[in-house]
Amino acid sequence: MNTYDDDQVGRARVADSPELLAYYDELAQLDAGALWTVANEIEPWYPQPKSVPVLWRYRDLRPLVAKALAMVKAEDAGRRVVMLVNPGRKEHSAAVGLLYTGLQIMGPGESMSAHRHAAAALRFVHEGTGAWTIVDGQKLKVGPGDFAITPNGTWHEHGNESHDAPVIWQDGLDIPLTNTLDANFYEIHPELHQRPGPVVNSSVLSHGANLLPYGLEKWTRPYSPVLGYPWEPSYQALRNLAKATGGSPYDGVIMEYTNPLTGGPVMPTMGAHLQLLRPGQRTRAHRHTGSVVYTAAKGRGVSVIAGQRLPWQQGDIFCVPSWAWHEHANLDPNEDACLFSFNDFPVMRSLGFLREEAYPDHDGHQPVADRQP
Amino acid sequence: MNTYDDDQVGRARVADSPELLAYYDELAQLDAGALWTVANEIEPWYPQPKSVPVLWRYRDLRPLVAKALAMVKAEDAGRRVVMLVNPGRKEHSAAVGLLYTGLQIMGPGESMSAHRHAAAALRFVHEGTGAWTIVDGQKLKVGPGDFAITPNGTWHEHGNESHDAPVIWQDGLDIPLTNTLDANFYEIHPELHQRPGPVVNSSVLSHGANLLPYGLEKWTRPYSPVLGYPWEPSYQALRNLAKATGGSPYDGVIMEYTNPLTGGPVMPTMGAHLQLLRPGQRTRAHRHTGSVVYTAAKGRGVSVIAGQRLPWQQGDIFCVPSWAWHEHANLDPNEDACLFSFNDFPVMRSLGFLREEAYPDHDGHQPVADRQP
Amino acid sequence: MNTYDDDQVGRARVADSPELLAYYDELAQLDAGALWTVANEIEPWYPQPKSVPVLWRYRDLRPLVAKALAMVKAEDAGRRVVMLVNPGRKEHSAAVGLLYTGLQIMGPGESMSAHRHAAAALRFVHEGTGAWTIVDGQKLKVGPGDFAITPNGTWHEHGNESHDAPVIWQDGLDIPLTNTLDANFYEIHPELHQRPGPVVNSSVLSHGANLLPYGLEKWTRPYSPVLGYPWEPSYQALRNLAKATGGSPYDGVIMEYTNPLTGGPVMPTMGAHLQLLRPGQRTRAHRHTGSVVYTAAKGRGVSVIAGQRLPWQQGDIFCVPSWAWHEHANLDPNEDACLFSFNDFPVMRSLGFLREEAYPDHDGHQPVADRQP
Amino acid sequence: MNTYDDDQVGRARVADSPELLAYYDELAQLDAGALWTVANEIEPWYPQPKSVPVLWRYRDLRPLVAKALAMVKAEDAGRRVVMLVNPGRKEHSAAVGLLYTGLQIMGPGESMSAHRHAAAALRFVHEGTGAWTIVDGQKLKVGPGDFAITPNGTWHEHGNESHDAPVIWQDGLDIPLTNTLDANFYEIHPELHQRPGPVVNSSVLSHGANLLPYGLEKWTRPYSPVLGYPWEPSYQALRNLAKATGGSPYDGVIMEYTNPLTGGPVMPTMGAHLQLLRPGQRTRAHRHTGSVVYTAAKGRGVSVIAGQRLPWQQGDIFCVPSWAWHEHANLDPNEDACLFSFNDFPVMRSLGFLREEAYPDHDGHQPVADRQP
Ligand SMILES: [Fe+2]
Ligand SMILES: [Fe+2]
Ligand SMILES: [Fe+2]
Ligand SMILES: [Fe+2]
Ligand SMILES: [Fe+2]
Ligand SMILES: [Fe+2]
Ligand SMILES: [Fe+2]
Ligand SMILES: [Fe+2]
């Protein structure tokens, strides 16, 4: 067992000296440096995320989001979005780790122009019934609780066809990842708008009940051919699973939105889950690599993250940094509670970085300052 | 373009002679032979299946199936099944190619003992509401139109819990393939019966709407974790797809029952499809390697196979041999018609033998003796 | 544990009766039958191959092969091949299971015309230095001990450019499998001959030392891009492995010829191995599904197959049927012995039929009538 | 075609105003912000790497590397490494993008203690004949030009068993990537040293000539079982390929060190190539996502990167940032020149970020200030 002590064989522990400082200057002249001056920092004992747990309350954010409707024109803003910024990740405009999230508002009758980018996007609808998006020529209508994807490289545009109420949906993107990898591209649609096919929600209609379309052209893109996952059947799937299994000790009854052609995540850089906490259920803590943005989709509860108690109710958003202990509880004794979440687990999995462990003490529960759940 | 003439360079055309006949005898002494004596036969220009198109009418078979109920005890029969035997494949007890099918009847209250085998099985229920099966400890209840699988190596047993009506379901197995590959094994359950878990249809409950259970033990077996595909959602999925696409010119609107973890077939040796022919729809002919057993699941129609007209209605079973031209028509002008089918396409695909072509003439329709559809 | 007794619950045990015989006739009228009349036969306790172990001695076969050179013209024969036929598999022209093998002879200066077929072929050269083959436009020169492949669908032709000596190589094909699956096609090259590219053995030159060509067009075919595996580096690889590992208890030091793009078998229907038995080494017996054709590539030894002692020396060919116990011994106390073999394991693996077990008794050795090794 | 003009529909172009500035303050209070204030920056038209092209000359670095030998004890330094730091990536200690590289020196008889980390490492030996490394219990001896890997999570330690000369090898690691993903772990071996198996270079001995060991335990780790790729056979493979193909217009004759079980890169986060420029060869420019560190392994030449001429000779190291135009030339008219390189292409490929384009003008050559090659 390692002691996490940097003053032992196997760690760098070279003291500065005038000779060494002069030597370091020489190295710097050649765009070089001495590894041992930074080794312990860049080879930490365990992940040292700069992200911290944050809770964004919908009741706090909503008024400010609504304000943007009046203050900026959608087309001047590109998209009218209030982004959620982790205090430790301001320079990346990240909500946690390399994930971006924000609340986008579209007024009645508004629509945006079409563009595409290497960054992948997803949407989770908070309110409003008039939302639509066109992704690579396919029109989707989405309502509260619906989840939709806009994969890397797909043309997209969206709007609100309601006559009287705004739409607020949550965007999730891997922009910080894409930029960190020096791989982002952006393009405006040459005609500013796509011409969608005649069938709305066609990919949703085409995939269901564990059957797949046959005899058509083979789908070869690295993301799900299903562009939308409506709330109702998703929630129903979760309820059905709850009849069949006890679920995970750390997450309750949890499912992943998947690409039905692979059983894998919806996109190669971001995955998404929907989970159900039974009335009064309290999960045990675990931690793992990978960052997660959670949105309370139904009910009310509390999550303890890195020892901090974050109470939430429908619409609230919070995040779990990589390797932070976390556990969840449903505070309602009669109703189930649901959390939608998205994450960078596909990245961690592809690159071989997934690691997980259970919280070993106190029956799986972290100590918190003000412990109530 | 080849002329299919065996009297040309590149084909064997050695005439017998006394010297050669003597030579062939010498070879035979050493368990050897001259390739050229069989080359043209074992290297045919195109597949030469011994299977022929056959139509088995349910109204013909049902009385004989019912008769078996009285004539043999289930446990003496192993399973009480009338198997459908292609005239060209009697020595393999095959319905077509290397596929076996049969109609199994279980009287009210009957149940069979548990066993397992390397041959994979599937079920398609024709009638009766009391059918159940237990597959590797999971109890499934199945009704008319439901499709269920019993993969290679899984313990299984089944019965009929109805009080008054028999169950008739169709078995589909790859027994001829498994035997041809010298790979079949059979085992009787040491306790003759399994002890099923408490939840019925648990794998069906656990998989739906393009979400997958998460956080549980990873499924690593080479077949679908979903053991049942009930009629209602399957048919609904097909109807939804029909809204989104025109379908295949050869099959109408067609879907494959899939393993949601891979997007592939339900089992490595047999695939299954459900297809919908719109009112009055008539498809174009094509042919491909691979054998298919079809069951009319709904409505009435006619299929033309290798120039033979096979009219069918709900419950009827027919087969398409490898490389035989085939096309389908729905004879009802107002109702859709549905065909369930199973096949050995997964074998053909894994081994690189899939080949397909469209019928080139007459707008895609074969000449038939008595053409009416 | 099962007793392999057919007179128990779970097996069919219906006695004939006049009523049943009449019933069976009724069924036969409808192209149907009663499963229980054949169930125990088509669902055997374990594989019941019709193939038997056979040893074909090269010293016996060679004179007859040579005789063919004089007796038939190559172009009349198609290819001048003495095929090896298992006594139990005559109707399939199979050496064992669904595998075909034969010895092909080409006289000095001879060449064959080009064709292709769905059946896959492989070659193992016994003697002669002038052999060449052109596979999909790539010319390969092969000598004794070299292994080469002619995958499903590739154009091929071959010849012997020696001035004075014949070539004898061994063909291995999956013809019986391909026909059994009703999937064979045959085509004669429209110009009778291909025009090979300028570089001989280009695929061999392009793949070595665990590096792969980069920046060229991606290989997407389902077989190895390497068409030849020359003896010398293959044998050297085996000798190197022998330095690093003890090898398998059943096979000695054994390697598989692989597709370097997948690590898998060279073709989807047939795999090939080269194995080394150390001086005096005697392996333990095991059995598994899948059929194997062995060729003694170096040295002399004995194999015990299903209790039969088959002594072999370089050039000899023998076979192991599916599920037959087998073990090998090198009879030379000073020299290593090598066996080349090909098999249908890729089929068994793709379809989920691979099963293996070790011989449990007598220290892993079968009893034989005349036991000496 | 996009104009890269941020003052158009589809880009953010909201001017500051007192009201907006107050609004931004309100957002900041809630850990939120307005997307449109950063949108154009975080959604750039194309990648905007902070890395710049750098050339590190071995003749400049070597004296400073040698100096470290005297100035710090190996065990105090952890490892005695002069790292190469891109002027644009100092805060990440990265040579380019998210790749780290450095020159490590080990004096005669020195050895380091064992540790492991989630960051993956590779080595390319510059000089010295006494180098060894033990990776997960396997001892490897490596000499000049040899390439070796130390995958994520493998225990490793190394040393120099020469009596008189130091070893200098180049380390390549994905440390910046691993940290950016909040996924790094570090552990010191509980006994400080491993006990290697008896066979040196066993994984190298076990894999060659497109054959793979068979019948041993299946390798399931996500990286190559081959831990070393010696110079001589690698260079020979490249020379053989040069006989068979013209190579890539952008890279000359180039091969990737691969995992022979998958045909893929040696590790999931870093790939490595060896390429040969024929005497006098000058390639055409292209650009692609992904970062590359090059080391001149043989000969002398010049590379033009983002319009900068970087002349190199054996031992020199240089880098190509993501999306920078680059082309290479061999300046020797008689001898081939070789570049070793490592990259993050596996990351780009897994995540769907690979994109490439050819330089369209001037026959594929970039303008340079002082153009001579
Ligand atoms: Fe966008
Ligand atoms: Fe978690
Ligand atoms: Fe069965
Ligand atoms: Fe068909
Ligand atoms: Fe052939
Ligand atoms: Fe074996
Ligand atoms: Fe290290
Ligand atoms: Fe490049």
Side-chain angles (χ1 to χ4, degrees), chain A residues 251 286 288 294 326:
Chain A
D251 283 307
H286 74 161
H288 43 70
Y294 286 88
H326 56 284

Side-chain angles (χ1 to χ4, degrees), chain B residues 305-342:
Chain B
I305 301 167
Q308 288 182 50
R309 248 184 119 259
L310 304 185
W312 43 260
Q313 63 184 50
Q314 192 179 321
D316 291 350
I317 298 169
F318 60 93
C319 70
V320 175
S322 181
W323 208 237
W325 295 113
H326 56 285
E327 57 193 286
H328 310 292
N330 178 352
L331 293 181
D332 193 305
N334 302 307
E335 289 290 318
D336 55 33
C338 291
L339 293 170
F340 166 83
S341 60
F342 70 93

